[in-house]
Amino acid sequence: QVQLVESGGGLVQPGESLRLSCTVFGSGLRGYAIGWYRRAPGQERELIATITPTGSEDITAYAASVEGRFTIARDDAANTVYLQMKNLQPADTAVYYCNAPIRGGTVWAWGLGTQVTVFS
């Protein structure tokens, strides 16, 4: 059974940074496109960043709301995906999750996520 464990969230002020980690247990990451998602209070979960292996280099993509501030990276040997978040704003307050996006859903069951709260 595959388990996703997200960590690194916290309580920060606007303009500060956090680095989230997601480690996958029970499956390797190699070959999977991996995404970071977030669910803000009262909203649907949204996909905000993806990293897709192509064989020669990874292709990254970001939602407009985080482009230029967030950076996704992966370490397949460690079965871990990272999300470096800079210049955090109150609108970034959410529970953050990782998973492998596929058409119509995700490959694995969701983990518990990690809470990020940005307060002013």
Side-chain angles (χ1 to χ4, degrees), residues 2 7 23 31 36-37 43 54 62-63 66-67 75 78 80 84-85 87-88 94-95 103 108 112 114 116 119-120:
V2 176
S7 62
T23 301
W36 277 98
Y37 300 72
Q43 298 186 22
T54 66
Y62 301 92
V66 305
E67 178 87 52
D75 182 346
T80 300
Q84 177 68 50
M85 306 186 296
N87 190 23
L88 284 160
V95 180
R103 188 184 299 273
W108 302 305
L112 297 178
T114 186
V116 172
F119 71 101
S120 55

mmCIF file with all atom_site columns, all heavy atoms in Angstrom, residues 2 7 23 31 36-37 43 54 62-63 66-67 75 78 80 84-85 87-88 94-95 103 108 112 114 116 119-120:
data_model
loop_
_atom_site.group_PDB
_atom_site.id
_atom_site.type_symbol
_atom_site.label_atom_id
_atom_site.label_alt_id
_atom_site.label_comp_id
_atom_site.label_asym_id
_atom_site.label_entity_id
_atom_site.label_seq_id
_atom_site.pdbx_PDB_ins_code
_atom_site.Cartn_x
_atom_site.Cartn_y
_atom_site.Cartn_z
_atom_site.occupancy
_atom_site.B_iso_or_equiv
_atom_site.pdbx_formal_charge
_atom_site.auth_seq_id
_atom_site.auth_comp_id
_atom_site.auth_asym_id
_atom_site.auth_atom_id
_atom_site.pdbx_PDB_model_num
ATOM 1   N N   . VAL A 1 2   ? 0.581   2.152  -0.906  1.00 0.00 ? 2   VAL A N   1
ATOM 2   C CA  . VAL A 1 2   ? 1.384   3.362  -1.044  1.00 0.00 ? 2   VAL A CA  1
ATOM 3   C C   . VAL A 1 2   ? 0.913   4.412  -0.046  1.00 0.00 ? 2   VAL A C   1
ATOM 4   O O   . VAL A 1 2   ? -0.287  4.629  0.132   1.00 0.00 ? 2   VAL A O   1
ATOM 5   C CB  . VAL A 1 2   ? 1.291   3.920  -2.465  1.00 0.00 ? 2   VAL A CB  1
ATOM 6   C CG1 . VAL A 1 2   ? 2.057   5.239  -2.571  1.00 0.00 ? 2   VAL A CG1 1
ATOM 7   C CG2 . VAL A 1 2   ? 1.828   2.903  -3.468  1.00 0.00 ? 2   VAL A CG2 1
ATOM 8   N N   . SER A 1 7   ? 5.354   17.076 4.637   1.00 0.00 ? 7   SER A N   1
ATOM 9   C CA  . SER A 1 7   ? 5.872   17.751 5.823   1.00 0.00 ? 7   SER A CA  1
ATOM 10  C C   . SER A 1 7   ? 6.460   19.102 5.438   1.00 0.00 ? 7   SER A C   1
ATOM 11  O O   . SER A 1 7   ? 6.626   19.400 4.251   1.00 0.00 ? 7   SER A O   1
ATOM 12  C CB  . SER A 1 7   ? 6.940   16.895 6.512   1.00 0.00 ? 7   SER A CB  1
ATOM 13  O OG  . SER A 1 7   ? 8.044   16.692 5.649   1.00 0.00 ? 7   SER A OG  1
ATOM 14  N N   . THR A 1 23  ? 7.336   12.535 0.805   1.00 0.00 ? 23  THR A N   1
ATOM 15  C CA  . THR A 1 23  ? 8.002   11.260 0.605   1.00 0.00 ? 23  THR A CA  1
ATOM 16  C C   . THR A 1 23  ? 6.966   10.177 0.331   1.00 0.00 ? 23  THR A C   1
ATOM 17  O O   . THR A 1 23  ? 5.940   10.105 1.004   1.00 0.00 ? 23  THR A O   1
ATOM 18  C CB  . THR A 1 23  ? 8.850   10.879 1.825   1.00 0.00 ? 23  THR A CB  1
ATOM 19  O OG1 . THR A 1 23  ? 9.831   11.902 2.046   1.00 0.00 ? 23  THR A OG1 1
ATOM 20  C CG2 . THR A 1 23  ? 9.573   9.560  1.601   1.00 0.00 ? 23  THR A CG2 1
ATOM 21  N N   . GLY A 1 31  ? 9.618   7.799  -13.192 1.00 0.00 ? 31  GLY A N   1
ATOM 22  C CA  . GLY A 1 31  ? 8.687   7.648  -14.296 1.00 0.00 ? 31  GLY A CA  1
ATOM 23  C C   . GLY A 1 31  ? 7.354   8.333  -14.102 1.00 0.00 ? 31  GLY A C   1
ATOM 24  O O   . GLY A 1 31  ? 6.600   8.502  -15.062 1.00 0.00 ? 31  GLY A O   1
ATOM 25  N N   . TRP A 1 36  ? 2.114   18.994 -6.836  1.00 0.00 ? 36  TRP A N   1
ATOM 26  C CA  . TRP A 1 36  ? 1.724   19.557 -5.543  1.00 0.00 ? 36  TRP A CA  1
ATOM 27  C C   . TRP A 1 36  ? 0.354   20.194 -5.729  1.00 0.00 ? 36  TRP A C   1
ATOM 28  O O   . TRP A 1 36  ? 0.111   20.911 -6.711  1.00 0.00 ? 36  TRP A O   1
ATOM 29  C CB  . TRP A 1 36  ? 2.721   20.603 -5.055  1.00 0.00 ? 36  TRP A CB  1
ATOM 30  C CG  . TRP A 1 36  ? 3.910   20.011 -4.375  1.00 0.00 ? 36  TRP A CG  1
ATOM 31  C CD1 . TRP A 1 36  ? 5.136   19.772 -4.919  1.00 0.00 ? 36  TRP A CD1 1
ATOM 32  C CD2 . TRP A 1 36  ? 3.976   19.584 -3.008  1.00 0.00 ? 36  TRP A CD2 1
ATOM 33  N NE1 . TRP A 1 36  ? 5.970   19.215 -3.970  1.00 0.00 ? 36  TRP A NE1 1
ATOM 34  C CE2 . TRP A 1 36  ? 5.288   19.090 -2.787  1.00 0.00 ? 36  TRP A CE2 1
ATOM 35  C CE3 . TRP A 1 36  ? 3.085   19.562 -1.938  1.00 0.00 ? 36  TRP A CE3 1
ATOM 36  C CZ2 . TRP A 1 36  ? 5.723   18.584 -1.557  1.00 0.00 ? 36  TRP A CZ2 1
ATOM 37  C CZ3 . TRP A 1 36  ? 3.515   19.069 -0.713  1.00 0.00 ? 36  TRP A CZ3 1
ATOM 38  C CH2 . TRP A 1 36  ? 4.806   18.590 -0.538  1.00 0.00 ? 36  TRP A CH2 1
ATOM 39  N N   . TYR A 1 37  ? -0.507  19.919 -4.766  1.00 0.00 ? 37  TYR A N   1
ATOM 40  C CA  . TYR A 1 37  ? -1.861  20.443 -4.755  1.00 0.00 ? 37  TYR A CA  1
ATOM 41  C C   . TYR A 1 37  ? -2.038  21.222 -3.449  1.00 0.00 ? 37  TYR A C   1
ATOM 42  O O   . TYR A 1 37  ? -1.293  21.040 -2.490  1.00 0.00 ? 37  TYR A O   1
ATOM 43  C CB  . TYR A 1 37  ? -2.882  19.307 -4.746  1.00 0.00 ? 37  TYR A CB  1
ATOM 44  C CG  . TYR A 1 37  ? -2.832  18.360 -5.909  1.00 0.00 ? 37  TYR A CG  1
ATOM 45  C CD1 . TYR A 1 37  ? -1.803  17.435 -6.057  1.00 0.00 ? 37  TYR A CD1 1
ATOM 46  C CD2 . TYR A 1 37  ? -3.859  18.329 -6.853  1.00 0.00 ? 37  TYR A CD2 1
ATOM 47  C CE1 . TYR A 1 37  ? -1.781  16.540 -7.111  1.00 0.00 ? 37  TYR A CE1 1
ATOM 48  C CE2 . TYR A 1 37  ? -3.858  17.433 -7.899  1.00 0.00 ? 37  TYR A CE2 1
ATOM 49  C CZ  . TYR A 1 37  ? -2.816  16.539 -8.019  1.00 0.00 ? 37  TYR A CZ  1
ATOM 50  O OH  . TYR A 1 37  ? -2.806  15.640 -9.063  1.00 0.00 ? 37  TYR A OH  1
ATOM 51  N N   . GLN A 1 43  ? -12.525 25.842 -0.218  1.00 0.00 ? 43  GLN A N   1
ATOM 52  C CA  . GLN A 1 43  ? -12.321 25.722 -1.661  1.00 0.00 ? 43  GLN A CA  1
ATOM 53  C C   . GLN A 1 43  ? -11.984 24.294 -2.060  1.00 0.00 ? 43  GLN A C   1
ATOM 54  O O   . GLN A 1 43  ? -11.672 23.457 -1.218  1.00 0.00 ? 43  GLN A O   1
ATOM 55  C CB  . GLN A 1 43  ? -11.205 26.675 -2.105  1.00 0.00 ? 43  GLN A CB  1
ATOM 56  C CG  . GLN A 1 43  ? -11.513 28.154 -1.859  1.00 0.00 ? 43  GLN A CG  1
ATOM 57  C CD  . GLN A 1 43  ? -10.464 29.061 -2.438  1.00 0.00 ? 43  GLN A CD  1
ATOM 58  O OE1 . GLN A 1 43  ? -9.723  28.688 -3.349  1.00 0.00 ? 43  GLN A OE1 1
ATOM 59  N NE2 . GLN A 1 43  ? -10.390 30.268 -1.918  1.00 0.00 ? 43  GLN A NE2 1
ATOM 60  N N   . THR A 1 54  ? 11.157  13.370 -18.505 1.00 0.00 ? 54  THR A N   1
ATOM 61  C CA  . THR A 1 54  ? 11.082  13.107 -19.946 1.00 0.00 ? 54  THR A CA  1
ATOM 62  C C   . THR A 1 54  ? 12.197  12.187 -20.416 1.00 0.00 ? 54  THR A C   1
ATOM 63  O O   . THR A 1 54  ? 12.243  11.835 -21.578 1.00 0.00 ? 54  THR A O   1
ATOM 64  C CB  . THR A 1 54  ? 11.187  14.418 -20.746 1.00 0.00 ? 54  THR A CB  1
ATOM 65  O OG1 . THR A 1 54  ? 12.504  14.969 -20.557 1.00 0.00 ? 54  THR A OG1 1
ATOM 66  C CG2 . THR A 1 54  ? 10.135  15.414 -20.313 1.00 0.00 ? 54  THR A CG2 1
ATOM 67  N N   . TYR A 1 62  ? 3.454   25.425 -13.567 1.00 0.00 ? 62  TYR A N   1
ATOM 68  C CA  . TYR A 1 62  ? 2.904   26.058 -12.374 1.00 0.00 ? 62  TYR A CA  1
ATOM 69  C C   . TYR A 1 62  ? 1.595   26.762 -12.680 1.00 0.00 ? 62  TYR A C   1
ATOM 70  O O   . TYR A 1 62  ? 1.391   27.272 -13.789 1.00 0.00 ? 62  TYR A O   1
ATOM 71  C CB  . TYR A 1 62  ? 3.903   27.095 -11.822 1.00 0.00 ? 62  TYR A CB  1
ATOM 72  C CG  . TYR A 1 62  ? 5.235   26.499 -11.455 1.00 0.00 ? 62  TYR A CG  1
ATOM 73  C CD1 . TYR A 1 62  ? 6.277   26.458 -12.381 1.00 0.00 ? 62  TYR A CD1 1
ATOM 74  C CD2 . TYR A 1 62  ? 5.452   25.970 -10.189 1.00 0.00 ? 62  TYR A CD2 1
ATOM 75  C CE1 . TYR A 1 62  ? 7.500   25.895 -12.045 1.00 0.00 ? 62  TYR A CE1 1
ATOM 76  C CE2 . TYR A 1 62  ? 6.674   25.413 -9.851  1.00 0.00 ? 62  TYR A CE2 1
ATOM 77  C CZ  . TYR A 1 62  ? 7.690   25.375 -10.786 1.00 0.00 ? 62  TYR A CZ  1
ATOM 78  O OH  . TYR A 1 62  ? 8.897   24.810 -10.450 1.00 0.00 ? 62  TYR A OH  1
ATOM 79  N N   . ALA A 1 63  ? 0.739   26.795 -11.674 1.00 0.00 ? 63  ALA A N   1
ATOM 80  C CA  . ALA A 1 63  ? -0.459  27.628 -11.759 1.00 0.00 ? 63  ALA A CA  1
ATOM 81  C C   . ALA A 1 63  ? -0.030  29.089 -11.737 1.00 0.00 ? 63  ALA A C   1
ATOM 82  O O   . ALA A 1 63  ? 0.994   29.440 -11.147 1.00 0.00 ? 63  ALA A O   1
ATOM 83  C CB  . ALA A 1 63  ? -1.378  27.329 -10.588 1.00 0.00 ? 63  ALA A CB  1
ATOM 84  N N   . VAL A 1 66  ? 1.060   30.872 -8.466  1.00 0.00 ? 66  VAL A N   1
ATOM 85  C CA  . VAL A 1 66  ? 2.326   30.590 -7.766  1.00 0.00 ? 66  VAL A CA  1
ATOM 86  C C   . VAL A 1 66  ? 3.532   30.732 -8.676  1.00 0.00 ? 66  VAL A C   1
ATOM 87  O O   . VAL A 1 66  ? 4.672   30.647 -8.212  1.00 0.00 ? 66  VAL A O   1
ATOM 88  C CB  . VAL A 1 66  ? 2.318   29.181 -7.141  1.00 0.00 ? 66  VAL A CB  1
ATOM 89  C CG1 . VAL A 1 66  ? 1.108   29.001 -6.235  1.00 0.00 ? 66  VAL A CG1 1
ATOM 90  C CG2 . VAL A 1 66  ? 2.366   28.092 -8.200  1.00 0.00 ? 66  VAL A CG2 1
ATOM 91  N N   . GLU A 1 67  ? 3.312   30.939 -9.961  1.00 0.00 ? 67  GLU A N   1
ATOM 92  C CA  . GLU A 1 67  ? 4.414   31.071 -10.929 1.00 0.00 ? 67  GLU A CA  1
ATOM 93  C C   . GLU A 1 67  ? 5.386   32.158 -10.477 1.00 0.00 ? 67  GLU A C   1
ATOM 94  O O   . GLU A 1 67  ? 4.974   33.256 -10.085 1.00 0.00 ? 67  GLU A O   1
ATOM 95  C CB  . GLU A 1 67  ? 3.837   31.430 -12.292 1.00 0.00 ? 67  GLU A CB  1
ATOM 96  C CG  . GLU A 1 67  ? 4.869   31.644 -13.376 1.00 0.00 ? 67  GLU A CG  1
ATOM 97  C CD  . GLU A 1 67  ? 5.253   30.366 -14.087 1.00 0.00 ? 67  GLU A CD  1
ATOM 98  O OE1 . GLU A 1 67  ? 4.343   29.667 -14.536 1.00 0.00 ? 67  GLU A OE1 1
ATOM 99  O OE2 . GLU A 1 67  ? 6.458   30.085 -14.180 1.00 0.00 ? 67  GLU A OE2 1
ATOM 100 N N   . ASP A 1 75  ? 13.651  14.182 -6.080  1.00 0.00 ? 75  ASP A N   1
ATOM 101 C CA  . ASP A 1 75  ? 14.821  13.335 -5.853  1.00 0.00 ? 75  ASP A CA  1
ATOM 102 C C   . ASP A 1 75  ? 14.308  11.904 -5.891  1.00 0.00 ? 75  ASP A C   1
ATOM 103 O O   . ASP A 1 75  ? 13.833  11.368 -4.887  1.00 0.00 ? 75  ASP A O   1
ATOM 104 C CB  . ASP A 1 75  ? 15.459  13.671 -4.499  1.00 0.00 ? 75  ASP A CB  1
ATOM 105 C CG  . ASP A 1 75  ? 16.704  12.853 -4.225  1.00 0.00 ? 75  ASP A CG  1
ATOM 106 O OD1 . ASP A 1 75  ? 16.930  11.857 -4.936  1.00 0.00 ? 75  ASP A OD1 1
ATOM 107 O OD2 . ASP A 1 75  ? 17.449  13.196 -3.296  1.00 0.00 ? 75  ASP A OD2 1
ATOM 108 N N   . ALA A 1 78  ? 15.531  9.343  -3.391  1.00 0.00 ? 78  ALA A N   1
ATOM 109 C CA  . ALA A 1 78  ? 14.994  9.477  -2.043  1.00 0.00 ? 78  ALA A CA  1
ATOM 110 C C   . ALA A 1 78  ? 13.474  9.342  -2.018  1.00 0.00 ? 78  ALA A C   1
ATOM 111 O O   . ALA A 1 78  ? 12.861  9.484  -0.951  1.00 0.00 ? 78  ALA A O   1
ATOM 112 C CB  . ALA A 1 78  ? 15.398  10.827 -1.453  1.00 0.00 ? 78  ALA A CB  1
ATOM 113 N N   . THR A 1 80  ? 11.315  11.397 -2.947  1.00 0.00 ? 80  THR A N   1
ATOM 114 C CA  . THR A 1 80  ? 10.829  12.624 -2.330  1.00 0.00 ? 80  THR A CA  1
ATOM 115 C C   . THR A 1 80  ? 10.687  13.730 -3.371  1.00 0.00 ? 80  THR A C   1
ATOM 116 O O   . THR A 1 80  ? 11.512  13.869 -4.270  1.00 0.00 ? 80  THR A O   1
ATOM 117 C CB  . THR A 1 80  ? 11.782  13.071 -1.210  1.00 0.00 ? 80  THR A CB  1
ATOM 118 O OG1 . THR A 1 80  ? 11.850  12.037 -0.216  1.00 0.00 ? 80  THR A OG1 1
ATOM 119 C CG2 . THR A 1 80  ? 11.293  14.346 -0.544  1.00 0.00 ? 80  THR A CG2 1
ATOM 120 N N   . GLN A 1 84  ? 9.599   24.429 -2.954  1.00 0.00 ? 84  GLN A N   1
ATOM 121 C CA  . GLN A 1 84  ? 10.185  25.613 -2.347  1.00 0.00 ? 84  GLN A CA  1
ATOM 122 C C   . GLN A 1 84  ? 9.233   26.778 -2.584  1.00 0.00 ? 84  GLN A C   1
ATOM 123 O O   . GLN A 1 84  ? 8.902   27.076 -3.728  1.00 0.00 ? 84  GLN A O   1
ATOM 124 C CB  . GLN A 1 84  ? 11.550  25.926 -2.963  1.00 0.00 ? 84  GLN A CB  1
ATOM 125 C CG  . GLN A 1 84  ? 12.201  27.185 -2.424  1.00 0.00 ? 84  GLN A CG  1
ATOM 126 C CD  . GLN A 1 84  ? 12.611  27.041 -0.970  1.00 0.00 ? 84  GLN A CD  1
ATOM 127 O OE1 . GLN A 1 84  ? 13.269  26.084 -0.584  1.00 0.00 ? 84  GLN A OE1 1
ATOM 128 N NE2 . GLN A 1 84  ? 12.214  28.002 -0.147  1.00 0.00 ? 84  GLN A NE2 1
ATOM 129 N N   . MET A 1 85  ? 8.797   27.412 -1.508  1.00 0.00 ? 85  MET A N   1
ATOM 130 C CA  . MET A 1 85  ? 7.819   28.489 -1.610  1.00 0.00 ? 85  MET A CA  1
ATOM 131 C C   . MET A 1 85  ? 8.441   29.774 -1.066  1.00 0.00 ? 85  MET A C   1
ATOM 132 O O   . MET A 1 85  ? 8.893   29.806 0.084   1.00 0.00 ? 85  MET A O   1
ATOM 133 C CB  . MET A 1 85  ? 6.557   28.134 -0.812  1.00 0.00 ? 85  MET A CB  1
ATOM 134 C CG  . MET A 1 85  ? 5.964   26.798 -1.201  1.00 0.00 ? 85  MET A CG  1
ATOM 135 S SD  . MET A 1 85  ? 4.374   26.463 -0.391  1.00 0.00 ? 85  MET A SD  1
ATOM 136 C CE  . MET A 1 85  ? 4.888   26.398 1.301   1.00 0.00 ? 85  MET A CE  1
ATOM 137 N N   . ASN A 1 87  ? 8.197   34.248 -0.855  1.00 0.00 ? 87  ASN A N   1
ATOM 138 C CA  . ASN A 1 87  ? 7.271   35.385 -0.844  1.00 0.00 ? 87  ASN A CA  1
ATOM 139 C C   . ASN A 1 87  ? 5.830   34.919 -0.591  1.00 0.00 ? 87  ASN A C   1
ATOM 140 O O   . ASN A 1 87  ? 4.916   35.275 -1.330  1.00 0.00 ? 87  ASN A O   1
ATOM 141 C CB  . ASN A 1 87  ? 7.364   36.152 -2.159  1.00 0.00 ? 87  ASN A CB  1
ATOM 142 C CG  . ASN A 1 87  ? 6.614   37.474 -2.105  1.00 0.00 ? 87  ASN A CG  1
ATOM 143 O OD1 . ASN A 1 87  ? 6.392   38.031 -1.036  1.00 0.00 ? 87  ASN A OD1 1
ATOM 144 N ND2 . ASN A 1 87  ? 6.230   37.963 -3.263  1.00 0.00 ? 87  ASN A ND2 1
ATOM 145 N N   . LEU A 1 88  ? 5.668   34.137 0.451   1.00 0.00 ? 88  LEU A N   1
ATOM 146 C CA  . LEU A 1 88  ? 4.338   33.625 0.777   1.00 0.00 ? 88  LEU A CA  1
ATOM 147 C C   . LEU A 1 88  ? 3.387   34.750 1.142   1.00 0.00 ? 88  LEU A C   1
ATOM 148 O O   . LEU A 1 88  ? 3.790   35.754 1.754   1.00 0.00 ? 88  LEU A O   1
ATOM 149 C CB  . LEU A 1 88  ? 4.445   32.608 1.915   1.00 0.00 ? 88  LEU A CB  1
ATOM 150 C CG  . LEU A 1 88  ? 4.992   31.248 1.479   1.00 0.00 ? 88  LEU A CG  1
ATOM 151 C CD1 . LEU A 1 88  ? 5.519   30.471 2.677   1.00 0.00 ? 88  LEU A CD1 1
ATOM 152 C CD2 . LEU A 1 88  ? 3.918   30.461 0.745   1.00 0.00 ? 88  LEU A CD2 1
ATOM 153 N N   . ALA A 1 94  ? -3.291  27.205 3.120   1.00 0.00 ? 94  ALA A N   1
ATOM 154 C CA  . ALA A 1 94  ? -3.981  26.006 2.629   1.00 0.00 ? 94  ALA A CA  1
ATOM 155 C C   . ALA A 1 94  ? -3.310  24.778 3.227   1.00 0.00 ? 94  ALA A C   1
ATOM 156 O O   . ALA A 1 94  ? -2.229  24.873 3.820   1.00 0.00 ? 94  ALA A O   1
ATOM 157 C CB  . ALA A 1 94  ? -3.915  25.933 1.106   1.00 0.00 ? 94  ALA A CB  1
ATOM 158 N N   . VAL A 1 95  ? -3.954  23.637 3.023   1.00 0.00 ? 95  VAL A N   1
ATOM 159 C CA  . VAL A 1 95  ? -3.302  22.352 3.277   1.00 0.00 ? 95  VAL A CA  1
ATOM 160 C C   . VAL A 1 95  ? -2.697  21.905 1.954   1.00 0.00 ? 95  VAL A C   1
ATOM 161 O O   . VAL A 1 95  ? -3.379  21.900 0.927   1.00 0.00 ? 95  VAL A O   1
ATOM 162 C CB  . VAL A 1 95  ? -4.287  21.301 3.808   1.00 0.00 ? 95  VAL A CB  1
ATOM 163 C CG1 . VAL A 1 95  ? -3.552  19.990 4.064   1.00 0.00 ? 95  VAL A CG1 1
ATOM 164 C CG2 . VAL A 1 95  ? -4.953  21.802 5.090   1.00 0.00 ? 95  VAL A CG2 1
ATOM 165 N N   . ARG A 1 103 ? -5.136  11.440 -15.885 1.00 0.00 ? 103 ARG A N   1
ATOM 166 C CA  . ARG A 1 103 ? -6.415  11.928 -16.424 1.00 0.00 ? 103 ARG A CA  1
ATOM 167 C C   . ARG A 1 103 ? -7.557  11.460 -15.541 1.00 0.00 ? 103 ARG A C   1
ATOM 168 O O   . ARG A 1 103 ? -7.712  10.277 -15.287 1.00 0.00 ? 103 ARG A O   1
ATOM 169 C CB  . ARG A 1 103 ? -6.604  11.409 -17.845 1.00 0.00 ? 103 ARG A CB  1
ATOM 170 C CG  . ARG A 1 103 ? -7.800  12.023 -18.558 1.00 0.00 ? 103 ARG A CG  1
ATOM 171 C CD  . ARG A 1 103 ? -7.976  11.391 -19.932 1.00 0.00 ? 103 ARG A CD  1
ATOM 172 N NE  . ARG A 1 103 ? -6.803  11.613 -20.764 1.00 0.00 ? 103 ARG A NE  1
ATOM 173 C CZ  . ARG A 1 103 ? -6.630  12.680 -21.515 1.00 0.00 ? 103 ARG A CZ  1
ATOM 174 N NH1 . ARG A 1 103 ? -7.525  13.644 -21.518 1.00 0.00 ? 103 ARG A NH1 1
ATOM 175 N NH2 . ARG A 1 103 ? -5.537  12.801 -22.255 1.00 0.00 ? 103 ARG A NH2 1
ATOM 176 N N   . TRP A 1 108 ? -2.430  7.681  -6.590  1.00 0.00 ? 108 TRP A N   1
ATOM 177 C CA  . TRP A 1 108 ? -2.461  7.136  -5.231  1.00 0.00 ? 108 TRP A CA  1
ATOM 178 C C   . TRP A 1 108 ? -3.526  7.797  -4.372  1.00 0.00 ? 108 TRP A C   1
ATOM 179 O O   . TRP A 1 108 ? -4.047  8.872  -4.718  1.00 0.00 ? 108 TRP A O   1
ATOM 180 C CB  . TRP A 1 108 ? -1.091  7.344  -4.578  1.00 0.00 ? 108 TRP A CB  1
ATOM 181 C CG  . TRP A 1 108 ? 0.024   6.714  -5.332  1.00 0.00 ? 108 TRP A CG  1
ATOM 182 C CD1 . TRP A 1 108 ? 0.122   5.394  -5.698  1.00 0.00 ? 108 TRP A CD1 1
ATOM 183 C CD2 . TRP A 1 108 ? 1.206   7.354  -5.824  1.00 0.00 ? 108 TRP A CD2 1
ATOM 184 N NE1 . TRP A 1 108 ? 1.295   5.189  -6.378  1.00 0.00 ? 108 TRP A NE1 1
ATOM 185 C CE2 . TRP A 1 108 ? 1.981   6.367  -6.463  1.00 0.00 ? 108 TRP A CE2 1
ATOM 186 C CE3 . TRP A 1 108 ? 1.708   8.658  -5.770  1.00 0.00 ? 108 TRP A CE3 1
ATOM 187 C CZ2 . TRP A 1 108 ? 3.210   6.637  -7.059  1.00 0.00 ? 108 TRP A CZ2 1
ATOM 188 C CZ3 . TRP A 1 108 ? 2.924   8.940  -6.362  1.00 0.00 ? 108 TRP A CZ3 1
ATOM 189 C CH2 . TRP A 1 108 ? 3.664   7.944  -6.998  1.00 0.00 ? 108 TRP A CH2 1
ATOM 190 N N   . LEU A 1 112 ? -2.134  12.967 4.389   1.00 0.00 ? 112 LEU A N   1
ATOM 191 C CA  . LEU A 1 112 ? -2.772  13.895 5.311   1.00 0.00 ? 112 LEU A CA  1
ATOM 192 C C   . LEU A 1 112 ? -2.512  15.353 4.962   1.00 0.00 ? 112 LEU A C   1
ATOM 193 O O   . LEU A 1 112 ? -3.225  16.245 5.414   1.00 0.00 ? 112 LEU A O   1
ATOM 194 C CB  . LEU A 1 112 ? -2.298  13.622 6.739   1.00 0.00 ? 112 LEU A CB  1
ATOM 195 C CG  . LEU A 1 112 ? -2.672  12.248 7.288   1.00 0.00 ? 112 LEU A CG  1
ATOM 196 C CD1 . LEU A 1 112 ? -2.106  12.076 8.687   1.00 0.00 ? 112 LEU A CD1 1
ATOM 197 C CD2 . LEU A 1 112 ? -4.183  12.051 7.296   1.00 0.00 ? 112 LEU A CD2 1
ATOM 198 N N   . THR A 1 114 ? 0.078   18.876 4.613   1.00 0.00 ? 114 THR A N   1
ATOM 199 C CA  . THR A 1 114 ? 0.783   19.693 5.598   1.00 0.00 ? 114 THR A CA  1
ATOM 200 C C   . THR A 1 114 ? 0.209   21.105 5.536   1.00 0.00 ? 114 THR A C   1
ATOM 201 O O   . THR A 1 114 ? 0.023   21.658 4.447   1.00 0.00 ? 114 THR A O   1
ATOM 202 C CB  . THR A 1 114 ? 2.306   19.676 5.351   1.00 0.00 ? 114 THR A CB  1
ATOM 203 O OG1 . THR A 1 114 ? 2.968   20.372 6.398   1.00 0.00 ? 114 THR A OG1 1
ATOM 204 C CG2 . THR A 1 114 ? 2.693   20.264 3.999   1.00 0.00 ? 114 THR A CG2 1
ATOM 205 N N   . VAL A 1 116 ? -0.092  25.037 5.744   1.00 0.00 ? 116 VAL A N   1
ATOM 206 C CA  . VAL A 1 116 ? 0.671   26.273 5.612   1.00 0.00 ? 116 VAL A CA  1
ATOM 207 C C   . VAL A 1 116 ? -0.274  27.426 5.946   1.00 0.00 ? 116 VAL A C   1
ATOM 208 O O   . VAL A 1 116 ? -1.351  27.546 5.347   1.00 0.00 ? 116 VAL A O   1
ATOM 209 C CB  . VAL A 1 116 ? 1.227   26.444 4.183   1.00 0.00 ? 116 VAL A CB  1
ATOM 210 C CG1 . VAL A 1 116 ? 1.853   27.827 4.021   1.00 0.00 ? 116 VAL A CG1 1
ATOM 211 C CG2 . VAL A 1 116 ? 2.249   25.359 3.882   1.00 0.00 ? 116 VAL A CG2 1
ATOM 212 N N   . PHE A 1 119 ? 0.019   34.577 7.917   1.00 0.00 ? 119 PHE A N   1
ATOM 213 C CA  . PHE A 1 119 ? -0.792  35.569 8.612   1.00 0.00 ? 119 PHE A CA  1
ATOM 214 C C   . PHE A 1 119 ? -0.052  36.900 8.650   1.00 0.00 ? 119 PHE A C   1
ATOM 215 O O   . PHE A 1 119 ? 1.170   36.949 8.675   1.00 0.00 ? 119 PHE A O   1
ATOM 216 C CB  . PHE A 1 119 ? -1.090  35.104 10.033  1.00 0.00 ? 119 PHE A CB  1
ATOM 217 C CG  . PHE A 1 119 ? 0.117   35.127 10.937  1.00 0.00 ? 119 PHE A CG  1
ATOM 218 C CD1 . PHE A 1 119 ? 0.308   36.154 11.846  1.00 0.00 ? 119 PHE A CD1 1
ATOM 219 C CD2 . PHE A 1 119 ? 1.078   34.125 10.867  1.00 0.00 ? 119 PHE A CD2 1
ATOM 220 C CE1 . PHE A 1 119 ? 1.429   36.180 12.668  1.00 0.00 ? 119 PHE A CE1 1
ATOM 221 C CE2 . PHE A 1 119 ? 2.196   34.142 11.685  1.00 0.00 ? 119 PHE A CE2 1
ATOM 222 C CZ  . PHE A 1 119 ? 2.367   35.171 12.591  1.00 0.00 ? 119 PHE A CZ  1
ATOM 223 N N   . SER A 1 120 ? -0.834  37.956 8.666   1.00 0.00 ? 120 SER A N   1
ATOM 224 C CA  . SER A 1 120 ? -0.226  39.290 8.741   1.00 0.00 ? 120 SER A CA  1
ATOM 225 C C   . SER A 1 120 ? -0.575  39.956 10.059  1.00 0.00 ? 120 SER A C   1
ATOM 226 O O   . SER A 1 120 ? -1.396  39.460 10.811  1.00 0.00 ? 120 SER A O   1
ATOM 227 C CB  . SER A 1 120 ? -0.710  40.145 7.580   1.00 0.00 ? 120 SER A CB  1
ATOM 228 O OG  . SER A 1 120 ? -2.100  40.199 7.548   1.00 0.00 ? 120 SER A OG  1
#
